[in-house]
Amino acid sequence: QSGGTLAKIAESGEVTVGHRDGAVPFSYYDDQQQAIGYAMDLCAHVVDAVKVKLDKPDLKINYMPVTGTTRIPLLANGTIDMECGTTTNNVERQKQVTFSTTYFVAGVRILSKKSAPIETMADTAGKSIVTLAGTTSVKIINDADNAENLGLTIHVVKDLAEGMLMLETDRAVALIFDDISIAGAAATSKSPGDYQISKQGLSVEPYGVMLRRDDPEFKELVNTTLEQLYESGEITAIYDKWFTQPIPPRDVNMNFPMSDQLKAAIANPTDDPNPEVYR
Amino acid sequence: MSYNWNWWIFFEPSLDGRNTYLATLLWGACWTIATSICAFALAMLLGSVVGVARTTPVAWMRGVGVVFVEMFRNIPLLVQMFLWYFVLPELLPRDAGMWLKQLPNGQFYTAVVALGLYHAARMAEVVRAGLESLPKGQRMAGQALGLTLPQTYRDVLLPMAYRIIVPAITSEFLSCTKNTSVAIAIGLVELTGSARAMQENSFQIFEAFAAATTLYLMINLVIVFVMRGVESLAVIPGYGEAQRKESLV
Amino acid sequence: MITLHNVTKSYGKFKVLSNCTTSIAKGEVVVVCGPSGSGKSTLIKTVNGLEPIDSGEIIVSGIRVSDPGTNLPMLRSKVGMVFQHFELFPHLTIIQNLVLAQVKVLKRSKSVAEKTGMALLDRVGLVAHAAKFPGQLSGGQQQRVAIARALAMDPIAMLFDEPTSALDPEMINEVLDVMVELAREGMTMMVVTHEMGFARKVANRVIFMDRGEIVEDAEKEDFFGTPRSERAQHFLSKILVQ
Amino acid sequence: MITLHNVTKSYGKFKVLSNCTTSIAKGEVVVVCGPSGSGKSTLIKTVNGLEPIDSGEIIVSGIRVSDPGTNLPMLRSKVGMVFQHFELFPHLTIIQNLVLAQVKVLKRSKSVAEKTGMALLDRVGLVAHAAKFPGQLSGGQQQRVAIARALAMDPIAMLFDEPTSALDPEMINEVLDVMVELAREGMTMMVVTHEMGFARKVANRVIFMDRGEIVEDAEKEDFFGTPRSERAQHFLSKILVQ
Amino acid sequence: MLSGFDYQVVINALPYLFLTGMTFTLKLTVLATIGGILLGTLLAVMRLSRHRLLSMPAAGYVNLLRSTPLLLVIFWFYFLVPFLAQWVMGSSTPVRVDPFWSSVITFTLFEACYFCEIVRSGIQSLPQGQSSASKALGMTDAQTMIYIILPQAMRNMIPLILTQTIILFQDTSLVYVLSITDFLGAAAKIAQRDGRLLEMYIFAALVYFIISLLASHAVRLLQKRVAIIR
Ligand SMILES: Nc1ncnc2c1ncn2[C@@H]1O[C@H](COP(=O)(O)OP(=O)(O)OP(=O)(O)O)[C@@H](O)[C@H]1O
Ligand SMILES: Nc1ncnc2c1ncn2[C@@H]1O[C@H](COP(=O)(O)OP(=O)(O)OP(=O)(O)O)[C@@H](O)[C@H]1O
Ligand SMILES: [Mg+2]
Ligand SMILES: [Mg+2]
């Protein structure tokens, strides 16, 4: 199919992987400023599959950092060919882009300081909270704010690091975002012991590789690759490498065994954006 | 892979669930205007003081002026915003820092201060240039009549200097308005920020940016229009004509 | 009235004034001349402290100008000064130009100041222009306003720095006429000018400067009769050749 | 040599020149005078086409200046011009100022041009300054260089636009001396100036302008003797009073 | 918190900050300056042209970009450039443009407007008498431009151009909002990885300050050297 991603890659001889620069442990920078992480490993398999498919073993791979703001436009305008990070698969986004099979199931939760703990959205009433620009959390928070009349001051920042900074410096009492990411941020912060994560989840967030719409050929290739990893059980090794063992650059251990939701999603691969499917 | 235009997006409800996207953009424009006006008022005030300081015969005042100007114009505005927003509260005593951080609309005040000081440095140079463009004899004439130095500045030098720099003030004001957009880096949801938020959530990049650009153009036009009025108020009969004649000969 | 004793001033290594000594009695008119850059403007500006001096002494009507404690604004209000480029305040009307310092410095009421101002404008023949701005007058008219502005402060002496050299030839005389009249009325005047016709007519003494020194300081008759220094002779021959 | 016939020019509604007619013979020296803004500068600039005219005719040495087909650069290279503000090229040294147009316009070799240039600098007494920049010379010196620059093109006529009015009094004569000498050597000259001493000494004819018109065009003796128009009388009385 | 100021963090980060970050910033500054001057001169000549077909579009472009905040322009071009490249290269899909080149294009297109105004006023500000004098010597319009106007205009413009370049150097920090690794971006990345924001921001401010200050000082010295003696 002309105009498809595979054709574009074949034509230009290069593929560009969009990644996040601080989404521990999905895609983030190590000591050498190389993008690494769970999602990056999965995407490496996709790239390998592309090489085989196009018979181009010396395919050039570009890495490009994206933010919540830039990831969708950059995918749409052809700057990146896939995005490997912590992007939630949901219905609104499906109008612009599409997603591979789900490779992680997160939930939005609240990170706060132990000295001023926050458990539920109601606890944040009248206070300043922070979340990340261009993410699904923004909508969740706004909906809660409107529904419960919380009178929140909502700060929307560029990335997780800035969000942590707001929380660290008491500009906000809570950082509300995907549980695994805030866990990563807290774990790699200066004093991990100061923070706590709420028990209650505000939503279910299936992650997938974000791809351009209307390109079934490429999506097929990505899905096949992932499903092969799921079937062969290779996924467990990759998962453990990032979630239950010490990871670079500072040998922090996320201690985050695979959830039942993810196990189910791996047993029955799906790219469904509907949260109910994963509950 | 082509881009899906959707101009109706402006009338759809935005993420906050209360306003349409158009309304959020207009709110953003209001923040832009408010920030810009407050910051520029600060810049005019401080800039005038520093600009005057740089032209006085008093050595230490000139020194302070130089330090102020060099300091605030040689650090990128974005970095200055970060310093004011993230670094300053940490350098203050704990309670003062906490108070600062929990100030409602903290980003707004920070943006006003950061922008105000940044543009004050540039206004100081403008005011100085205005004062220096006056014939040296004007200061002497004022003093020869027995006016004190402050009187000479207030009644003789500054009224002329301000008239001369009206065009420069206009362009500084325009630049200040544009620079408010840098405040998105500390989370102020002004016009560029609300366009960005609209883009993130609706994915209609070019509609959002086109609307923001149009609004900026309109704000610009209004400023230019108002400053034209100021300029015509500042005209002194005979003064400009003499200048114009001279440039012809 | 005005005494200068050993006045010296340098810009860096460059001596603008060296050991200038002279004095001007009440009612005397002294013309200062000399080549460009010889320090005439600087000398005349030291008299009311517009140019600070490095050493020496200047006494104006009993006040030591160069003393750090001297109230310079007060002194200056007593000594009128007229500049080469008029230096009217362009943003003020003619009458406002005359009123400003009377109100701010002499603390006169606005109405008194305006009355004084109008009387002086009448004297220089410019009442009709009171409401105009300086830019709307010709050079000669502007200079007459400048003289009126200085007179409004009731000065005890007047300093002129080349008052006619920025004027078109046709306008020089209207200004000189005002100055001649002033001299006749007994005003103490120190005038930097190249207008030797004026010097001949009203000066009591002529001071000739060169390279920061007072080379010649003579009665008018002596100066135009038998100038002693070669430099002064040379200068006069150049300037009077036409 | 130079003929102007019914020359007219307006800026918008404002008539700068109206029906100016005169002619200058070879070797003649004509002085143009008149009040400020009367159109003297404009008139002289029409002669070498620096100011285009609206109607009328100008012929210089047989060439019709106002014809669209005229090679203006060629014409201009034959007519020297000296400006009030010298207009030396500040980024070039004195000798480079003299050489540039010789090389670029007359296509002389650089060495020939330099020789000519040095000879002319010698004539105006400035060889020693050949390597300096214009900004390092006094006004009088700069104007002498400007004259030398014009002469370097071997002009058949010279135009002067108030060549001394931007100069200090002492420097006026050093420039006038060069001009007087030039006139004595038989150069055709058209000179806008207020220096009536110069006019008396070397002019053949005097043209008096007012409000864009040539009001008076007379032999020197007649002009200074019995000027006919009232305006000219008035002007002369003002300018010569000293 | 200041008591915990950690110099070691800064020292460890130096190679990354300068080899990756500052290199990017300086390369971007230099290329955008060169591109901006070339395009800006072209725009200036167009604006000064008597043909409206040339002057109008140039004026429109310059005025549009000058009334839009740089940050918005950065967003615009970052997302638009691939489409532009597709159009220019006649490709069937939007073309991937490296963030570096995307930034270079953005800043070139933006700064050209400012350089355009510098060049334009540089040419216009020369006294009329100079071109009169040149023409009076018989030089043609072109010769007047080449030998008299441009050499003087250029010398008058050099300080302004260099000052604009220093502003550009500072403005490049705005690519931070796109997570591009310029100097500020590098500092921010280290800061977030090591949780040392204060140290990194203060250090970044210091570096920008010193470089800009030295550069503007150098411009002032140069200004005296190239200035025409008047
Ligand atoms: N601020 C200054 N710094 C350095 N030198 C100065 C300064 N002001 C004046 N001078 C120099 O001092 C000398 C005397 O200047 P002054 O203006 O008194 O001369 P003048 O006799 O009035 O000349 P003119 O007839 O040109 O007005 C000149 O050589 C001038 O260059
Ligand atoms: N480009 C122009 N546009 C409009 N008016 C002009 C222009 N150039 C000159 N004038 C007007 O034309 C008139 C004649 O000007 P010109 O310079 O020829 O006078 P002038 O006799 O040389 O005066 P001066 O003695 O002041 O040099 C003046 O009133 C001037 O204002
Ligand atoms: Mg002087
Ligand atoms: Mg003229």
Side-chain angles (χ1 to χ4, degrees), chain B residues 245 248-249, chain C residues 168, chain D residues 11 14 16 34-43 45 51 84 161-162 192 194:
Chain B
K245 230 183 197 168
L248 286 179
V249 179
Chain C
D168 280 334
Chain D
Y11 285 116
F14 181 70
V16 201
S36 180
S38 56
K40 309 178 294 292
S41 299
T42 311
L43 182 75
K45 282 184 191 149
E51 293 273 7
Q84 180 174 9
D161 187 8
E162 307 207 30
V192 176
H194 285 127

PDB file of all heavy atoms in Angstrom, chain B residues 245 248-249, chain C residues 168, chain D residues 11 14 16 34-43 45 51 84 161-162 192 194, ligand 2:
ATOM      1  N   LYS B 245      12.638  68.727   8.332  1.00  0.00           N
ATOM      2  CA  LYS B 245      13.244  69.665   7.397  1.00  0.00           C
ATOM      3  C   LYS B 245      14.739  69.406   7.339  1.00  0.00           C
ATOM      4  O   LYS B 245      15.332  69.323   6.279  1.00  0.00           O
ATOM      5  CB  LYS B 245      12.968  71.092   7.863  1.00  0.00           C
ATOM      6  CG  LYS B 245      12.416  71.991   6.769  1.00  0.00           C
ATOM      7  CD  LYS B 245      12.253  73.385   7.320  1.00  0.00           C
ATOM      8  CE  LYS B 245      11.366  74.231   6.465  1.00  0.00           C
ATOM      9  NZ  LYS B 245      11.016  75.467   7.175  1.00  0.00           N
ATOM     10  N   LEU B 248      15.918  66.646   5.314  1.00  0.00           N
ATOM     11  CA  LEU B 248      15.783  66.821   3.864  1.00  0.00           C
ATOM     12  C   LEU B 248      16.987  67.543   3.280  1.00  0.00           C
ATOM     13  O   LEU B 248      17.446  67.217   2.196  1.00  0.00           O
ATOM     14  CB  LEU B 248      14.518  67.650   3.544  1.00  0.00           C
ATOM     15  CG  LEU B 248      13.191  66.943   3.714  1.00  0.00           C
ATOM     16  CD1 LEU B 248      12.050  67.888   3.401  1.00  0.00           C
ATOM     17  CD2 LEU B 248      13.128  65.742   2.791  1.00  0.00           C
ATOM     18  N   VAL B 249      17.481  68.532   3.999  1.00  0.00           N
ATOM     19  CA  VAL B 249      18.519  69.404   3.433  1.00  0.00           C
ATOM     20  C   VAL B 249      19.841  68.657   3.296  1.00  0.00           C
ATOM     21  O   VAL B 249      20.129  67.792   4.080  1.00  0.00           O
ATOM     22  CB  VAL B 249      18.691  70.651   4.319  1.00  0.00           C
ATOM     23  CG1 VAL B 249      19.785  71.543   3.767  1.00  0.00           C
ATOM     24  CG2 VAL B 249      17.376  71.407   4.369  1.00  0.00           C
TER      25      VAL B 249
ATOM     26  N   ASP C 168      21.341  81.917  11.012  1.00  0.00           N
ATOM     27  CA  ASP C 168      21.517  82.367   9.640  1.00  0.00           C
ATOM     28  C   ASP C 168      21.931  83.829   9.674  1.00  0.00           C
ATOM     29  O   ASP C 168      21.507  84.575  10.555  1.00  0.00           O
ATOM     30  CB  ASP C 168      20.192  82.221   8.878  1.00  0.00           C
ATOM     31  CG  ASP C 168      19.972  80.801   8.438  1.00  0.00           C
ATOM     32  OD1 ASP C 168      20.975  80.080   8.269  1.00  0.00           O
ATOM     33  OD2 ASP C 168      18.806  80.400   8.281  1.00  0.00           O
TER      34      ASP C 168
ATOM     35  N   TYR D  11       7.577  70.036  -5.301  1.00  0.00           N
ATOM     36  CA  TYR D  11       7.364  68.884  -4.427  1.00  0.00           C
ATOM     37  C   TYR D  11       5.894  68.913  -4.067  1.00  0.00           C
ATOM     38  O   TYR D  11       5.465  69.758  -3.283  1.00  0.00           O
ATOM     39  CB  TYR D  11       8.201  69.000  -3.156  1.00  0.00           C
ATOM     40  CG  TYR D  11       9.656  68.716  -3.372  1.00  0.00           C
ATOM     41  CD1 TYR D  11      10.610  69.708  -3.166  1.00  0.00           C
ATOM     42  CD2 TYR D  11      10.071  67.455  -3.796  1.00  0.00           C
ATOM     43  CE1 TYR D  11      11.943  69.451  -3.360  1.00  0.00           C
ATOM     44  CE2 TYR D  11      11.412  67.192  -3.992  1.00  0.00           C
ATOM     45  CZ  TYR D  11      12.343  68.192  -3.773  1.00  0.00           C
ATOM     46  OH  TYR D  11      13.657  67.927  -3.959  1.00  0.00           O
ATOM     47  N   PHE D  14       4.047  72.257  -3.630  1.00  0.00           N
ATOM     48  CA  PHE D  14       5.000  73.308  -3.302  1.00  0.00           C
ATOM     49  C   PHE D  14       5.996  73.519  -4.450  1.00  0.00           C
ATOM     50  O   PHE D  14       6.744  72.618  -4.825  1.00  0.00           O
ATOM     51  CB  PHE D  14       5.729  72.914  -2.020  1.00  0.00           C
ATOM     52  CG  PHE D  14       6.722  73.922  -1.556  1.00  0.00           C
ATOM     53  CD1 PHE D  14       6.309  75.141  -1.047  1.00  0.00           C
ATOM     54  CD2 PHE D  14       8.077  73.659  -1.646  1.00  0.00           C
ATOM     55  CE1 PHE D  14       7.237  76.071  -0.617  1.00  0.00           C
ATOM     56  CE2 PHE D  14       9.008  74.587  -1.221  1.00  0.00           C
ATOM     57  CZ  PHE D  14       8.587  75.800  -0.712  1.00  0.00           C
ATOM     58  N   VAL D  16       9.264  74.569  -5.877  1.00  0.00           N
ATOM     59  CA  VAL D  16      10.607  74.879  -5.399  1.00  0.00           C
ATOM     60  C   VAL D  16      11.321  75.770  -6.401  1.00  0.00           C
ATOM     61  O   VAL D  16      12.093  76.650  -6.041  1.00  0.00           O
ATOM     62  CB  VAL D  16      11.429  73.594  -5.197  1.00  0.00           C
ATOM     63  CG1 VAL D  16      12.562  73.864  -4.246  1.00  0.00           C
ATOM     64  CG2 VAL D  16      10.555  72.473  -4.696  1.00  0.00           C
ATOM     65  N   GLY D  34      20.421  84.251  -1.691  1.00  0.00           N
ATOM     66  CA  GLY D  34      18.991  84.365  -1.417  1.00  0.00           C
ATOM     67  C   GLY D  34      18.679  83.757  -0.076  1.00  0.00           C
ATOM     68  O   GLY D  34      19.502  83.024   0.478  1.00  0.00           O
ATOM     69  N   PRO D  35      17.490  84.060   0.459  1.00  0.00           N
ATOM     70  CA  PRO D  35      17.159  83.555   1.792  1.00  0.00           C
ATOM     71  C   PRO D  35      17.076  82.030   1.848  1.00  0.00           C
ATOM     72  O   PRO D  35      17.006  81.362   0.813  1.00  0.00           O
ATOM     73  CB  PRO D  35      15.798  84.182   2.083  1.00  0.00           C
ATOM     74  CG  PRO D  35      15.369  84.885   0.876  1.00  0.00           C
ATOM     75  CD  PRO D  35      16.470  84.926  -0.110  1.00  0.00           C
ATOM     76  N   SER D  36      17.097  81.535   3.051  1.00  0.00           N
ATOM     77  CA  SER D  36      17.021  80.094   3.278  1.00  0.00           C
ATOM     78  C   SER D  36      15.715  79.530   2.694  1.00  0.00           C
ATOM     79  O   SER D  36      14.661  80.148   2.822  1.00  0.00           O
ATOM     80  CB  SER D  36      17.068  79.847   4.783  1.00  0.00           C
ATOM     81  OG  SER D  36      17.000  78.480   5.049  1.00  0.00           O
ATOM     82  N   GLY D  37      15.817  78.386   2.035  1.00  0.00           N
ATOM     83  CA  GLY D  37      14.624  77.759   1.479  1.00  0.00           C
ATOM     84  C   GLY D  37      14.165  78.344   0.170  1.00  0.00           C
ATOM     85  O   GLY D  37      13.119  77.979  -0.356  1.00  0.00           O
ATOM     86  N   SER D  38      14.979  79.225  -0.420  1.00  0.00           N
ATOM     87  CA  SER D  38      14.535  79.871  -1.645  1.00  0.00           C
ATOM     88  C   SER D  38      14.778  79.007  -2.882  1.00  0.00           C
ATOM     89  O   SER D  38      14.350  79.358  -3.977  1.00  0.00           O
ATOM     90  CB  SER D  38      15.236  81.216  -1.809  1.00  0.00           C
ATOM     91  OG  SER D  38      16.630  81.043  -1.776  1.00  0.00           O
ATOM     92  N   GLY D  39      15.469  77.884  -2.725  1.00  0.00           N
ATOM     93  CA  GLY D  39      15.635  76.976  -3.852  1.00  0.00           C
ATOM     94  C   GLY D  39      17.020  76.989  -4.471  1.00  0.00           C
ATOM     95  O   GLY D  39      17.233  76.409  -5.541  1.00  0.00           O
ATOM     96  N   LYS D  40      17.985  77.604  -3.786  1.00  0.00           N
ATOM     97  CA  LYS D  40      19.339  77.690  -4.335  1.00  0.00           C
ATOM     98  C   LYS D  40      19.959  76.303  -4.525  1.00  0.00           C
ATOM     99  O   LYS D  40      20.482  75.981  -5.602  1.00  0.00           O
ATOM    100  CB  LYS D  40      20.241  78.514  -3.404  1.00  0.00           C
ATOM    101  CG  LYS D  40      19.667  79.859  -3.012  1.00  0.00           C
ATOM    102  CD  LYS D  40      20.565  80.610  -2.064  1.00  0.00           C
ATOM    103  CE  LYS D  40      20.734  79.980  -0.697  1.00  0.00           C
ATOM    104  NZ  LYS D  40      19.529  79.974   0.153  1.00  0.00           N
ATOM    105  N   SER D  41      19.887  75.501  -3.456  1.00  0.00           N
ATOM    106  CA  SER D  41      20.485  74.163  -3.548  1.00  0.00           C
ATOM    107  C   SER D  41      19.807  73.359  -4.639  1.00  0.00           C
ATOM    108  O   SER D  41      20.461  72.656  -5.422  1.00  0.00           O
ATOM    109  CB  SER D  41      20.325  73.420  -2.233  1.00  0.00           C
ATOM    110  OG  SER D  41      20.975  74.094  -1.201  1.00  0.00           O
ATOM    111  N   THR D  42      18.485  73.445  -4.685  1.00  0.00           N
ATOM    112  CA  THR D  42      17.754  72.688  -5.685  1.00  0.00           C
ATOM    113  C   THR D  42      18.182  73.115  -7.084  1.00  0.00           C
ATOM    114  O   THR D  42      18.450  72.269  -7.948  1.00  0.00           O
ATOM    115  CB  THR D  42      16.239  72.903  -5.500  1.00  0.00           C
ATOM    116  OG1 THR D  42      15.912  72.707  -4.136  1.00  0.00           O
ATOM    117  CG2 THR D  42      15.451  71.940  -6.356  1.00  0.00           C
ATOM    118  N   LEU D  43      18.286  74.422  -7.286  1.00  0.00           N
ATOM    119  CA  LEU D  43      18.665  74.917  -8.606  1.00  0.00           C
ATOM    120  C   LEU D  43      20.017  74.358  -9.039  1.00  0.00           C
ATOM    121  O   LEU D  43      20.172  73.825 -10.147  1.00  0.00           O
ATOM    122  CB  LEU D  43      18.732  76.448  -8.590  1.00  0.00           C
ATOM    123  CG  LEU D  43      19.079  77.072  -9.948  1.00  0.00           C
ATOM    124  CD1 LEU D  43      17.866  77.010 -10.872  1.00  0.00           C
ATOM    125  CD2 LEU D  43      19.571  78.509  -9.810  1.00  0.00           C
ATOM    126  N   LYS D  45      21.548  71.772  -8.050  1.00  0.00           N
ATOM    127  CA  LYS D  45      21.574  70.313  -8.250  1.00  0.00           C
ATOM    128  C   LYS D  45      20.878  69.899  -9.533  1.00  0.00           C
ATOM    129  O   LYS D  45      21.074  68.767 -10.008  1.00  0.00           O
ATOM    130  CB  LYS D  45      20.924  69.619  -7.061  1.00  0.00           C
ATOM    131  CG  LYS D  45      21.863  69.565  -5.861  1.00  0.00           C
ATOM    132  CD  LYS D  45      21.229  68.793  -4.737  1.00  0.00           C
ATOM    133  CE  LYS D  45      22.019  68.940  -3.454  1.00  0.00           C
ATOM    134  NZ  LYS D  45      21.158  68.875  -2.278  1.00  0.00           N
ATOM    135  N   GLU D  51      18.906  66.600  -9.207  1.00  0.00           N
ATOM    136  CA  GLU D  51      17.483  66.814  -8.956  1.00  0.00           C
ATOM    137  C   GLU D  51      16.784  66.806 -10.302  1.00  0.00           C
ATOM    138  O   GLU D  51      17.073  67.656 -11.150  1.00  0.00           O
ATOM    139  CB  GLU D  51      17.239  68.184  -8.287  1.00  0.00           C
ATOM    140  CG  GLU D  51      17.773  68.314  -6.892  1.00  0.00           C
ATOM    141  CD  GLU D  51      16.786  67.829  -5.831  1.00  0.00           C
ATOM    142  OE1 GLU D  51      15.728  67.272  -6.196  1.00  0.00           O
ATOM    143  OE2 GLU D  51      17.086  68.001  -4.636  1.00  0.00           O
ATOM    144  N   GLN D  84      27.792  71.376   0.916  1.00  0.00           N
ATOM    145  CA  GLN D  84      27.886  72.080   2.188  1.00  0.00           C
ATOM    146  C   GLN D  84      28.585  71.224   3.260  1.00  0.00           C
ATOM    147  O   GLN D  84      29.452  71.693   3.968  1.00  0.00           O
ATOM    148  CB  GLN D  84      26.476  72.438   2.656  1.00  0.00           C
ATOM    149  CG  GLN D  84      26.436  73.166   3.970  1.00  0.00           C
ATOM    150  CD  GLN D  84      25.017  73.620   4.308  1.00  0.00           C
ATOM    151  OE1 GLN D  84      24.069  73.244   3.643  1.00  0.00           O
ATOM    152  NE2 GLN D  84      24.896  74.440   5.327  1.00  0.00           N
ATOM    153  N   ASP D 161      27.804  74.280  -3.423  1.00  0.00           N
ATOM    154  CA  ASP D 161      26.581  74.546  -2.667  1.00  0.00           C
ATOM    155  C   ASP D 161      26.951  74.940  -1.239  1.00  0.00           C
ATOM    156  O   ASP D 161      27.214  74.076  -0.396  1.00  0.00           O
ATOM    157  CB  ASP D 161      25.677  73.307  -2.669  1.00  0.00           C
ATOM    158  CG  ASP D 161      24.319  73.596  -2.031  1.00  0.00           C
ATOM    159  OD1 ASP D 161      24.048  74.773  -1.735  1.00  0.00           O
ATOM    160  OD2 ASP D 161      23.538  72.646  -1.829  1.00  0.00           O
ATOM    161  N   GLU D 162      26.969  76.247  -0.976  1.00  0.00           N
ATOM    162  CA  GLU D 162      27.346  76.760   0.342  1.00  0.00           C
ATOM    163  C   GLU D 162      28.585  76.070   0.902  1.00  0.00           C
ATOM    164  O   GLU D 162      28.531  75.487   1.990  1.00  0.00           O
ATOM    165  CB  GLU D 162      26.184  76.602   1.333  1.00  0.00           C
ATOM    166  CG  GLU D 162      24.899  77.203   0.808  1.00  0.00           C
ATOM    167  CD  GLU D 162      23.970  77.641   1.931  1.00  0.00           C
ATOM    168  OE1 GLU D 162      24.462  78.016   2.997  1.00  0.00           O
ATOM    169  OE2 GLU D 162      22.736  77.623   1.701  1.00  0.00           O
ATOM    170  N   VAL D 192      26.762  78.762  -4.792  1.00  0.00           N
ATOM    171  CA  VAL D 192      25.757  79.227  -3.839  1.00  0.00           C
ATOM    172  C   VAL D 192      26.504  79.616  -2.570  1.00  0.00           C
ATOM    173  O   VAL D 192      27.228  78.795  -2.003  1.00  0.00           O
ATOM    174  CB  VAL D 192      24.749  78.115  -3.504  1.00  0.00           C
ATOM    175  CG1 VAL D 192      23.773  78.597  -2.437  1.00  0.00           C
ATOM    176  CG2 VAL D 192      24.009  77.668  -4.746  1.00  0.00           C
ATOM    177  N   HIS D 194      26.783  82.756   0.902  1.00  0.00           N
ATOM    178  CA  HIS D 194      26.427  84.028   1.527  1.00  0.00           C
ATOM    179  C   HIS D 194      27.649  84.922   1.697  1.00  0.00           C
ATOM    180  O   HIS D 194      27.552  86.010   2.256  1.00  0.00           O
ATOM    181  CB  HIS D 194      25.802  83.790   2.914  1.00  0.00           C
ATOM    182  CG  HIS D 194      24.410  83.282   2.855  1.00  0.00           C
ATOM    183  ND1 HIS D 194      24.005  82.151   3.513  1.00  0.00           N
ATOM    184  CD2 HIS D 194      23.319  83.731   2.200  1.00  0.00           C
ATOM    185  CE1 HIS D 194      22.727  81.927   3.269  1.00  0.00           C
ATOM    186  NE2 HIS D 194      22.294  82.878   2.467  1.00  0.00           N
TER     187      HIS D 194
HETATM  188  N1  LIG F   2      12.671  66.286  -0.942  1.00  0.00           N
HETATM  189  C1  LIG F   2      11.939  67.389  -0.665  1.00  0.00           C
HETATM  190  N2  LIG F   2      10.609  67.278  -0.422  1.00  0.00           N
HETATM  191  C2  LIG F   2       9.858  68.372  -0.138  1.00  0.00           C
HETATM  192  N3  LIG F   2      10.340  69.627  -0.064  1.00  0.00           N
HETATM  193  C3  LIG F   2      11.665  69.816  -0.289  1.00  0.00           C
HETATM  194  C4  LIG F   2      12.529  68.706  -0.584  1.00  0.00           C
HETATM  195  N4  LIG F   2      13.790  69.187  -0.741  1.00  0.00           N
HETATM  196  C5  LIG F   2      13.697  70.528  -0.548  1.00  0.00           C
HETATM  197  N5  LIG F   2      12.435  70.904  -0.293  1.00  0.00           N
HETATM  198  C6  LIG F   2      11.959  72.278  -0.041  1.00  0.00           C
HETATM  199  O1  LIG F   2      12.320  73.046  -1.149  1.00  0.00           O
HETATM  200  C7  LIG F   2      12.665  74.379  -0.749  1.00  0.00           C
HETATM  201  C8  LIG F   2      13.992  74.775  -1.371  1.00  0.00           C
HETATM  202  O2  LIG F   2      15.004  73.983  -0.815  1.00  0.00           O
HETATM  203  P1  LIG F   2      16.555  74.279  -1.048  1.00  0.00           P
HETATM  204  O3  LIG F   2      17.334  73.289  -0.248  1.00  0.00           O
HETATM  205  O4  LIG F   2      16.809  74.330  -2.503  1.00  0.00           O
HETATM  206  O5  LIG F   2      16.695  75.739  -0.407  1.00  0.00           O
HETATM  207  P2  LIG F   2      18.029  76.602  -0.208  1.00  0.00           P
HETATM  208  O6  LIG F   2      17.787  77.893  -0.867  1.00  0.00           O
HETATM  209  O7  LIG F   2      19.215  75.830  -0.607  1.00  0.00           O
HETATM  210  O8  LIG F   2      18.012  76.823   1.370  1.00  0.00           O
HETATM  211  P3  LIG F   2      19.241  76.827   2.406  1.00  0.00           P
HETATM  212  O9  LIG F   2      19.848  78.168   2.332  1.00  0.00           O
HETATM  213  O10 LIG F   2      18.524  76.584   3.733  1.00  0.00           O
HETATM  214  O11 LIG F   2      20.144  75.701   2.037  1.00  0.00           O
HETATM  215  C9  LIG F   2      12.703  74.375   0.749  1.00  0.00           C
HETATM  216  O12 LIG F   2      11.540  75.049   1.213  1.00  0.00           O
HETATM  217  C10 LIG F   2      12.664  72.926   1.140  1.00  0.00           C
HETATM  218  O13 LIG F   2      11.904  72.758   2.317  1.00  0.00           O
END
